[in-house]
Amino acid sequence: MAALQIQNVEQLRKAEELKNSLEVELRDPLLDDAEKSKLQTKVNRLSAAIQEYKDITKPVDPVPKSEKTAIVLQEAAPPEKDPRPDLTEDAHLWADLLQMALDKDKQAGRVYGEVDTLCGVLNSFRCAGTRLRAGKSIWVLKPDIDPSGRGAWESQAEYDDFKVRYLQQWGDVIPELLKQLTRKHPLPIGE
């Protein structure tokens, strides 16, 4: 059997979507062992191809080990909890947005830690220093930019790259969540 090979970000996105849908299908109690075995083989092949692509394209990590420890401790918190308590200005908004995202994941059968989840992606963006700011009519995601990389995105280009790679797949869900958030927390008057 020929190995799967992912060659670009679009193929990666499609492979991850397929893997996620197959993992959901695997939980079907009506599947017999032969069908489960075939599905598990497909999931394993996709996982290997995804990991191989990520390993090949993984950038060199310039963060010193001492700073990584702090990041790991932040990521250990439940996914629906704001991982950046130091960013107090919009913490209440993030608490609600992450909880709404977790609820969406549960409705869709996505389990945090087992598959890529909307809550996990938003949690990661918050870890990297993304803020909720007042837009024209709804709350919007905006990066904090700090070229030193301390607790914020290093550049707009870095944020835009991650936005395409990770947020784009949720393009139909995130705007709806931001609208719900705006209904719950109206924009400040005069913004």
Side-chain angles (χ1 to χ4, degrees):
M1 188 180 305
L4 291 175
Q5 188 173 23
I6 298 172
Q7 298 176 349
N8 57 49
V9 174
E10 180 62 23
Q11 288 178 351
L12 174 66
R13 185 184 65 76
K14 288 180 180 178
E16 287 175 332
E17 286 177 1
L18 179 58
K19 178 181 163 260
N20 291 343
S21 69
L22 291 174
E23 286 174 333
V24 170
E25 199 174 327
L26 266 172
R27 289 188 226 128
D28 184 347
L30 300 177
L31 287 177
D32 64 30
D33 289 341
E35 291 170 312
K36 280 186 181 181
S37 177
K38 286 179 185 178
L39 283 176
Q40 189 61 57
T41 299
K42 289 179 182 181
V43 168
N44 293 345
R45 290 185 69 215
L46 284 167
S47 295
I50 290 167
Q51 190 59 50
E52 179 182 358
Y53 179 80
K54 287 180 177 180
D55 289 345
I56 291 169
T57 59
K58 185 177 182 181
V60 176
D61 192 354
V63 179
K65 188 174 183 175
S66 62
E67 289 183 31
K68 285 184 184 178
T69 303
I71 292 169
V72 170
L73 291 174
Q74 289 175 349
E75 291 175 348
E80 74 278 9
K81 300 297 180 202
D82 184 356
R84 293 295 303 269
D86 57 315
L87 305 177
T88 58
E89 180 183 315
D90 57 350
H92 66 291
L93 298 172
W94 275 99
D96 284 345
L97 180 63
L98 291 170
Q99 185 61 56
M100 288 188 297
L102 183 65
D103 293 343
K104 276 276 190 208
D105 286 332
K106 287 179 181 177
Q107 289 171 2
R110 294 184 296 267
V111 178
Y112 182 81
E114 291 181 15
V115 295
D116 291 335
T117 61
L118 174 59
C119 185
V121 168
L122 288 173
N123 186 297
S124 297
F125 270 70
R126 177 60 166 176
C127 281
T130 302
R131 302 287 194 125
L132 283 164
R133 302 276 190 219
K136 290 181 181 178
S137 59
I138 63 172
W139 292 105
V140 294
L141 300 172
K142 291 288 183 183
D144 268 354
I145 308 292
D146 180 356
S148 72
R150 293 194 177 118
W153 296 93
E154 289 184 23
S155 65
Q156 184 68 43
E158 178 191 36
Y159 176 81
D160 291 342
D161 176 51
F162 276 76
K163 183 177 175 182
V164 167
R165 287 168 45 192
Y166 301 103
L167 288 183
Q168 193 169 18
Q169 66 180 319
W170 304 103
D172 57 333
V173 179
I174 292 174
E176 185 55 43
L177 289 182
L178 292 172
K179 288 176 188 173
Q180 289 176 25
L181 184 67
T182 304
R183 285 192 291 273
K184 186 172 183 176
H185 301 279
L187 299 179
I189 296 174
E191 294 282 329

